[in-house]
Amino acid sequence: MNTERILLTGAGGQIGTVLTRALREKHGSDQVLPTDIRLPEEPEGAFENMDVLDQQQLQSTAGRFKPTQIYHLAAILSAKGEKNPRRAWDINMQGLFNVLDLAREWEAKVFFPSSIAVFGRYSPKQQTPQHTVLQPETVYGISKVAGESWCQYYFEKYGLDVRALRYPGIIGYQSMPGGGTTDYAVEIFHQAVAGKSYVCFLRADTRLPMLYMPDAIRATLELMAAPAEQITVRTGYNLAGMSFTPAEVAREIQRHLPGFEVQYRPDFRQSIADSWTQSIDDSQARADWGWKPEYDLSSMTQDMLRHLRERVTIG
Ligand code: AKB
């Protein structure tokens, strides 16, 4: 019998939407409680309106639900964070502390989404190693480095089973990202399928690490299911799928939609992207819990276009 009871924060976001469905498929719908500060547009089963800054609300929700696992996805991302750095810090850090303390109370396993935003200009740009200089240049990145360290601290001091992944940009057809620097890589597909041109906010040659949603979800579930003794990294595992530039993904889309056009008008997000790395060495994740991505630029593009076109046809 499946006895896991899984609570998600930030479940209405890009990853949360898809992860909630995957967890429900794996553990059963009633075993999974998605929460978010925003109400879902199309509710799918039980949902709770919850603010991660409200510790009392967290406690009463947990008191009723009795979680054995918490996926803490609520956060302000890199680009949005720069608009109001103190607010981003408060949400990202206080939210994490509230969740870590709650998890201690319930002896629940925790998933923390870290990011390639932990890297900065002094990190090696190519095949960035697991253990390297972390000197991020965004408030989001600073909160992720601090968050990773607190996760490790709670593991070392209190024995809390916290696991984390450094997600690259995530591309998926099921949900839209919001407030990130890698958001262009999802927007570009939607514009292409709608028969429109796309104005990209990054330069054509900006190379960034990316991962297709099915790989991201599988990585998350595999990490959380791995035996504890195999987890040697309690900060955040490097995770790689593919790396490409806006020009390269545009060219790949044009192989299927030859009339598609892209213009480049870099804005403040360019300097964020420039501070990040271009490719990631994820050999530790591969060695510890068998991580292996399935999608590359070509197979991801084909799958994205197929799903988005189906939606256009059905809609
Ligand atoms: C962002 O662009 O802020 C996120 C990330 C890479 O963590 N997608």
Side-chain angles (χ1 to χ4, degrees):
M1 196 178 85
N2 191 341
T3 52
E4 296 294 353
R5 298 192 53 82
I6 301 168
L7 184 70
L8 293 99
T9 72
Q14 186 199 11
I15 297 172
T17 308
V18 189
L19 188 58
T20 300
R21 285 183 204 141
L23 286 166
R24 281 190 158 147
E25 215 156 276
K26 184 171 174 187
H27 297 277
S29 198
D30 296 343
Q31 306 300 109
V32 179
L33 181 60
T35 72
D36 200 292
I37 196 162
R38 284 161 306 175
L39 289 169
E41 275 167 30
E42 293 164 34
E44 296 171 12
F47 169 89
E48 214 152 299
N49 200 203
M50 197 177 73
D51 179 355
V52 286
L53 296 183
D54 188 340
Q55 178 73 329
Q56 268 186 354
Q57 204 185 8
L58 266 163
Q59 269 170 342
S60 78
T61 301
R64 272 177 278 118
F65 185 67
K66 308 190 188 334
T68 59
Q69 293 186 22
I70 307 177
Y71 289 69
H72 175 47
L73 305 173
I76 302 289
L77 300 190
S78 58
K80 193 170 174 198
E82 294 309 287
K83 307 261 180 200
N84 192 343
R86 284 300 298 267
R87 176 89 187 131
W89 175 258
D90 289 345
I91 291 173
N92 292 2
M93 294 316 299
Q94 196 52 54
L96 176 61
F97 279 126
N98 288 348
V99 165
L100 290 176
D101 288 336
L102 190 75
R104 267 188 82 191
E105 229 172 272
W106 287 92
E107 295 178 12
K109 199 192 266 189
V110 177
F111 176 75
F112 174 64
S114 188
S115 161
I116 53 162
V118 295
F119 302 119
R121 79 178 73 161
Y122 301 110
S123 317
K125 287 262 178 229
Q126 309 298 338
Q127 289 298 105
T128 311
Q130 176 69 48
H131 301 289
T132 188
V133 178
L134 301 180
Q135 214 168 299
E137 282 153 54
T138 58
V139 66
Y140 173 66
I142 299 170
S143 74
K144 289 299 181 190
V145 173
E148 283 191 357
S149 301
W150 277 110
C151 287
Q152 187 178 36
Y153 185 94
Y154 271 66
F155 169 71
E156 302 280 354
K157 299 279 170 185
Y158 310 126
L160 192 68
D161 191 354
V162 195
R163 304 172 182 205
L165 293 172
R166 290 175 179 158
Y167 287 132
I170 306 293
I171 303 156
Y173 56 86
Q174 303 95 327
S175 49
M176 292 305 283
T181 304
T182 57
D183 293 11
Y184 91 84
V186 179
E187 293 167 4
I188 195 169
F189 281 98
H190 284 262
Q191 291 296 102
V193 170
K196 297 180 183 160
S197 61
Y198 180 61
V199 181
C200 183
F201 56 78
L202 296 181
R203 258 192 344 259
D205 63 349
T206 312
R207 186 171 303 283
L208 287 172
M210 301 278 180
L211 188 64
Y212 194 35
M213 185 68 86
D215 277 337
I217 299 298
R218 190 169 49 78
T220 310
L221 299 182
E222 283 176 5
L223 171 69
M224 289 299 274
E229 58 278 10
Q230 280 173 230
I231 308 298
T232 66
V233 175
R234 292 291 178 166
T235 48
Y237 275 101
N238 276 8
L239 194 66
M242 59 194 97
S243 286
F244 58 75
T245 66
E248 285 167 355
V249 68
R251 246 191 327 272
E252 198 59 40
I253 293 172
Q254 282 156 351
R255 288 182 50 216
H256 304 267
L257 298 166
F260 178 55
E261 283 178 14
V262 183
Q263 289 154 34
Y264 297 94
R265 259 183 246 147
D267 65 16
F268 73 100
R269 289 169 277 195
Q270 184 65 50
S271 64
I272 300 177
D274 288 342
S275 76
W276 290 352
T277 64
Q278 298 188 348
S279 61
I280 302 287
D281 173 359
D282 61 1
S283 47
Q284 192 76 56
R286 289 173 186 253
D288 285 3
W289 42 276
W291 161 243
K292 196 167 180 288
E294 275 175 12
Y295 287 86
D296 60 12
L297 174 58
S298 158
S299 52
M300 176 275 288
T301 303
Q302 264 183 46
D303 203 59
M304 274 295 279
L305 291 176
R306 182 170 64 81
H307 282 284
L308 289 177
R309 277 166 161 163
E310 266 170 26
R311 277 196 186 177
V312 171
T313 318
I314 294 164

